[in-house]
Each structure stands twice: as structure tokens, then as C-alpha cells.
Amino acid sequence: MSGVQGSGVGPAVDEHAEKIDAYASARNSQIAGALRAFARRRSALVGLAVLLLIIAFTVITPFLWKYSYSDITVDFSAAPGWRHPFGTDSIGHDLFAQTLRGIATSLKVATLVALLSTVVGTVVGAVAGYFGRAWDAVLMRVADLIMTIPVLAITLVLANVLGAKGSSWFLLSLVLSAVLWIPLSRLVRGTLLSLMKNDYIDAARMLGASDRRIIIRHLLPNAAGPIIVDATLMVGRAIIVAASMEYLGLGIQAPEVSLGLLIQRGQGAATTQPWLFGFPALFLVLIILSVNFVGDGLRDALDPRRTV
Amino acid sequence: MTTSERAPDPLLEVRDLRVTFREGTDQQVEAVDGISFEVHPGEVLAIVGESGSGKSITAHSVLGLLPPLATVAGSIRLRRRTSGRPEELIGLSSGAMRRIRGAEVAMIFQEPSTALNPVYTIGWQIKEALRAHSRVSGRTARDMVVEILRRVGIPEPEKRVGYYPHQFSGGQRQRIVIAMALIQNPDLIIADEPTTALDVTVQAEILDLLRAHRDEAGTAIVLITHNMGVVADLADRMVVMYQGCVVETGPVSEVFEQPQHPYTRNLLAAVPRVGVQSAREPVAAPDRIAVEGRDVVIEYPAGFRRASFRAVNSVSFRIAAGEVLGLVGESGSGKTSLGRAVAGLNPISSGSLVALGQELKGISRGKLRSSRKDVGFVFQDPATSFNPRIRLFDCLAEPFIVNNSTERPQLRQAVNELFDLVHLPRSFAERFPHELSGGQRQRVGIARAIALRPSLIIADEPTSALDVSVQAQILTLFTELQDELNYACLFITHDLAVVDMLAHRTAVMRRGEIVEQGATREVLLHPQHEYTQQLIGSLPVPDPAVQRDRSSRRQAVTS
């Protein structure tokens, strides 16, 4: 395509510059190709659109909507209607405002958890898988140890000790990340172990490449597929686990709301006032689905072997 | 079952067969493009071609084993056992097809390690093949299985029927796969590269087994292969396929003697032969030694429920500077372990191994890393030796970057020079590994190995995954580069003919020991050790007359 092949008689400077251009444009076309591949997957595109729409909605609407999530209205246990599109609960909270607020806090927690646990899990898994021996033994036993600690008991204790200070979404994210990185680290470790059987790892070693270079340049990019998929699943997992923690008193507490808290509160009246539980649950499913679709799209778009 | 005299009408008749694959949404790939051939009862027909020629797809379409994306057109007529009349197989219902599979047409697969289910005993699996078509009582079935195992040469069949696949060697597993094909006494056997995954000595035995069965039971065999030696050994007639078309058909002796089509001629010319070249004489009085091993032992430590394993047992050898040492052996002989040890990829357990003046026993990680820029390694499988996520430019620039030997602006120049050296267009720099063919990738692999102008190259079966004609080109390139850059080389291979082409000296390994070493010409023409003689004797020669003679002599010796 570049039109600059040939046997090369003397290093002409122009030719050289032209080649670098060709190289840069190949890079650009690579990014364009990745975008095209992402756009070709309809589910990924739809997922992205839904996700952006939900986020925009939660950001803009509070400024326009007549009720705030903490307002107590005069309508108790009203069914969805013109005044309250999602209905109200027994003390008069407008559920539309509450659901939007809940989406915002839940997304904040989920994003932070997904980010933190993916980074920690990837680093721990990579070190354990690549260096093996003592590293592997120690790190994986630490992971086992954390898994054996009953998370709910710890949560109860933490909620008790921290009291009001515990009602922060940041602390909740840290507690969740401390547990959720473990499955990912196992996944990364296993993926690396199988990737290391490839000859290109030995080839890099034969060139004298450092361990860091081999991990960052040769191993992790090839493990990106499973890592991305797991990170997107983590978003959904974080929202659900966060809900049970909130139920026990750690993390987001009233008057602050989250999707988990709303579902938790509404499920008791699921048969008599289904809207209390239905709308937050619907958005939870929507968010998890669209994040997973986006993850699938990303995984395929970042694979150079894709067929576009 | 089959008549001993040759029937006038063929057993299998393929007319104008076309197979197209749908690729993506609107692309069509013609894999097989209107081919015709026939197979007569009791005949061995070889379908020869390189990878991608459509030979396997042709064979699979006979049994209706193509993936759903394939469309088949044309005609495949099989003379049915029940009616004795030819019947069309294309468009047959899956139930009717199943009654033909195994009973009238059976298949032998390439890879015996994956063709058997590891969780069932082999007796159970052969019985399953039997039960698929006929009702037999448990007692008779068992007797039949033992009988068939005896016929394919499994020792102590009464005991071995209860064994699992992993308790057999690769050659024995292929015998079991053949037993599964034979138990229904089919009229036609399709053998898809039945010996490709096997060592030469085992290959010879499997070919003898197939020949014996043909002679006794009169079963017709369609033999799919890329190995001209195998064709010369077993086949009566051959069909040469190239890019989905048949370019030549005829009796084996005629095609070998007077190939008509230029492709057939090239194919035959590309087959390496032992004792033809032998042009490279060893350096008479080497002034410098590149590698010297003394009593090298490589042991893999004991693991969980696994005893320690000694892969290389007290081996001594030496490679002079600028010399190519061919290291020949069958799978499991320890040749790869030794090669990796020389490269510093495996530690050695005892003895002494000095590469380029550096003792490798107990070497520190840091020292090993700094000494690596003088050693290049060419890997066996071009499919796994490249990081699929990086472009070839980055791949070939990596040696320079890692060793800080070239300034960034000069990288492009350095990479271009490498592409020139291995005769690839410079524009390949922007490609990803999967966009290259196997042969092209192996050229890049060589370029990567020689990037830093090392004084020692270790090549681990660099051509065994390639087609013959590509293999010939790679070997030529390798010789050319070795002459030019004059590196010492440890060339690991299972193929004696390859050694003949490029090694100054040759060492033959067996079960962790070097049984014979010396000048290549001496080793190949006057082998001293019994095992070397056996190796050379088993190697099929791409000449039907010579090969028939050799195999009958070999059989006379073994029986």
C-alpha cells in the first residue's frame, strides 16, 4: 500500500521519512480498524449508547426534576403516575429521584471497585504467574487466606466500629475491592501460565529482555481478553455485593441511596408495591448488561486477529 | 468381502467435486475446484499436496465430515456393499451417512494422541466402533477386539484391552486407531496423514501394517499425505493437488519418473534426499570452539507423583566456530532439551557446558542475560513463536531496543536490512504475524535470531512445521546466511535429509545419549551404530522402485 518497497540501494532520507509516515498511518488505521470492529458489533454499540444515556440522564435530571431524592412528599405509597413516574414509597420519597440518585452512587462504587480490583488482581496474578515459586506460593496463599475470612462478619464489625464514618461510598469500595481482586488474580495467573508456554516468550528471553518487559509487552496484552471481560463482569458483581453490605449497615446509608439499597428495601413489598423493587432492578439489569456488551466489544476490537 | 480380481468399475468415483466455504458474510472461498478421481478395490491411491491444497477437505467430503459452512457440489459415488451398485453420497441423509461411516468407509486420523478419548479404555473404544453398526454379544465383541489388536501388532492384547490411551506410545496409539478403522472390515479406508505425527522408524512400521492389511483383506486405501517418501512406499496411483485442483494423476512409478506438470516437478525436486548433497565438509582444524559440552546431564526434577526424569544423560560434544552441527533424533531423545540448555533456557544438572567461553552450569541470571545477545534461537513452530499482538516491525526492533544497540532513528534502517537479508519485502514491517504464511513467518524468525549478529545460532526443528517446497527454500536461506555471517550453529532435526543438506558434522541422539557423531558424510554413508543404520533404513526414499525394494528388505529383516 505504501508503495515504498524495493531492494534499498542507499538509505535515502526522503524514503525513510516516507516510511515512518506509512508506519504512522498504519498505526492510525489500526485504531480506525479497532473502532470499526467495535462499531460492527451491534450489541456493543447498543450497550455503549444505553450506558451513556443512563449516565447523562442521572447527571442532568436532578437539576430539572421537581423532587430531590431526599424530599419527603405528601404522597405515600403512590403507584407510578404523572406526578411520580416511578411511584413513591411508604414515607413519601419520590422513587424516580431516588432511582436516579441510586444509579449515580452505585456506578461510582462499581467503577472504583472494578478499577481497583482489576489493577490489584492483574498485578498480583502477573507476579505470581510469572515468577512462580515463592512469589506464587506466598501471594496465592494470601489470596486463599482472604477468601477464608467471612466477609459478612468483617463487614458487621467494620460497620459497628466505624459507625457513621462507615457510611461512605469510598470505604465501601475499598472493602469490596479487597475481596473482589482474588478471582481475577487467579484468572490472570492461569492465563499467564498458559501463555508462557508460547515460544515468543522464550524468544524475548533469548534477546535478553527484562522480566518487566516480558510481562508488560508480551504477556499482559495477550491476556487482555479475559481481563477485560472479567473487569466488566466485576461492575455488576460490585453493585450486587455492595447491596448486601449496605443491608448490613456498611457503606451507603439513608438518606443516601444506592440501587442495591433500593432493591433491598423494596423487595419486602414486591407483591403489593412492585414498583419499589421493579424500577431499580430494571436499571441494575440494564447497566450490567450494557457494561458486559461493551466489554465483549472491547475484547474483540483490541484483538489484532479480528476479521475486519 | 471384496473380490480378489480387480473389478472393472471403481469402488469410489468422485466427479467434478467442488467445495466452497462461506467466509464472513458475503465471501466465498473455493477450497476444492472441480476435481475428479476414482479408487478401485484393493488399490492404494495417494492424494498428494501441500497445506491448503484441498486434499484433506476432499477426503473429509467423502465421509460428509465437512463443517456446516461448506457447500459441496458435484458427485461422489460409492459402490455399496449391500446392493453392489454405486450410490450417490452427496445429499445423503445424516442417518444414511452414518451407516456408511465406519462400516463401509473408515477413517484414520493424523494425530493419534487426540483421536482417542483419554477417559475410556481402548478396548471399550474399539468395541464402540463395533457396536455402532452390528449387534454383537459382549463375549464375541471382546474376542473380536483382542483379535484385531493382535492383528495390528499390539503385544499381549488380552491384557492390553483394558489399558487407557496414555499407557501406549504414539506409534501404538496409531495402531489402535487403525484397529478401530479395521474392526468393521470396511471396503475403503481414508488415511489422513497417518504417519505425519510419528517418528521415521514408527512410520515405517505403520506403513508396513497398512500394506499388509491391503494385501490380506483387499481394502482400498485413500492415503492423504505431503510426504513423497510415503507415497513411494505404499501407493499404487497418485493424485497431485495444487490450490484445489488436480494437476496430475497417474501410477506412482510414472509420475515419479516423468512428472508432467511443473508443480509436480518442483515438488519432487524439493524433497531432500539423503546421501545426495553431502557437500559440506567439517572444518579440518578449528581454531576456535563455539560450544563444548562435557558429560552434560539434564534432569527434570521430580514433581507431584512424578519421578525425576533424565532427558540428557552424560553427553559430550563440541561445535567449532562457524560450524553447523546437526543434532538428529526421534521425539523424546532429548535433543530439544540439549538445544535449550545450550541457549541457556534450561539449566544443566551436572557436567560442563561452555558456550562462547561462558560456563552455563550454575550461571547467574544477570550474566546469562548479558551473554544472550551473542546467541540466537530459531523456534520450531512459527505459529507460536510470535507475539500475535505486535507488528513485525516491533518484533524485529525488539532485539535492538532491549540491548540499546541502535538509536531510535536508525531502527527502521536496521529492521529493513533484516528484511532484505531474509528476502522479504520491507512492507511486511507493518503486518501482524497472522498475516504471513508459515514459511514467511519462519523467515522473520530467522531474521530475529540473527538481528544482533550472534556468533551462535540454535535452530530447533525450524522446518518441521513447513511444507516440503517451503522447507527447501528456508534451508537454502539458512545455508546462505550461515555462509555470509559465519555463525556456529546447532541444528536440531528429526530429518536426516535436512542434516545432509546443511550440517558439517552430525550427532545422532537416542534416549538421552549421543550414539554416534562425526562428519555428516561419514555418518550418513557409513553409519557405525545400529540405531543410525535403522534410522537411515526407515527413511522413505522418494523413488518407488528403490523404496519398494528397501521396505521389503526391511520387512525381511524384522520378521
Side-chain angles (χ1 to χ4, degrees), chain A residues 2 4-9 11 15-16 19-20 22-23 26-27 29-30 40 130-131 198-211 213 217-219 221-225 299 302-306, chain B residues 25 340 343-345 365 369 372-373 375-377 379-381 383-391 393-395 398-399 401-403 409-410 412-413 416 420 425-427 429-430 432 434 448-449 451-452 458:
Chain A
S2 61
V4 277
Q5 284 184 15
S7 48
V9 196
E15 197 184 311
H16 186 209
K19 263 175 210 161
I20 288 188
Y23 187 53
R27 267 278 138 86
S29 78
Q30 178 62 20
R40 266 169 76 112
Y130 183 81
F131 293 102
N198 280 313
D199 287 339
Y200 58 79
I201 302 304
D202 278 337
R205 243 181 225 145
M206 281 309 295
L207 301 173
S210 64
D211 295 330
R213 187 182 171 86
R217 186 137 176 89
H218 295 291
L219 287 171
N222 283 294
R299 181 198 56 201
L302 293 178
D303 186 355
R305 282 159 294 183
R306 61 168 186 268
Chain B
T25 41
R340 290 175 61 90
L345 289 169
R365 273 174 80 94
R369 231 177 93 186
R372 270 179 173 159
K373 62 177 186 295
V375 183
F377 202 109
F379 293 88
Q380 172 173 12
D381 187 356
T384 65
S385 54
F386 292 95
N387 182 346
R389 298 233 167 209
I390 66 176
R391 283 170 202 282
F393 173 80
D394 296 299
C395 174
E398 190 165 31
I401 295 171
V402 162
N403 292 285
Q410 271 90 58
R412 171 74 32 179
Q413 184 63 32
N416 280 343
D420 294 347
R426 294 172 170 193
S427 57
E430 317 314 332
F432 281 102
H434 69 268
R448 176 171 62 188
L452 298 168
I458 294 129

Side-chain angles (χ1 to χ4, degrees), chain B residues 243-263:
Chain B
Q243 290 183 352
C245 301
V246 170
V247 294
E248 190 153 354
T249 318
V252 167
S253 51
E254 266 175 42
V255 176
F256 271 80
E257 217 158 281
Q258 289 173 318
Q260 299 299 313
H261 194 275
Y263 175 73

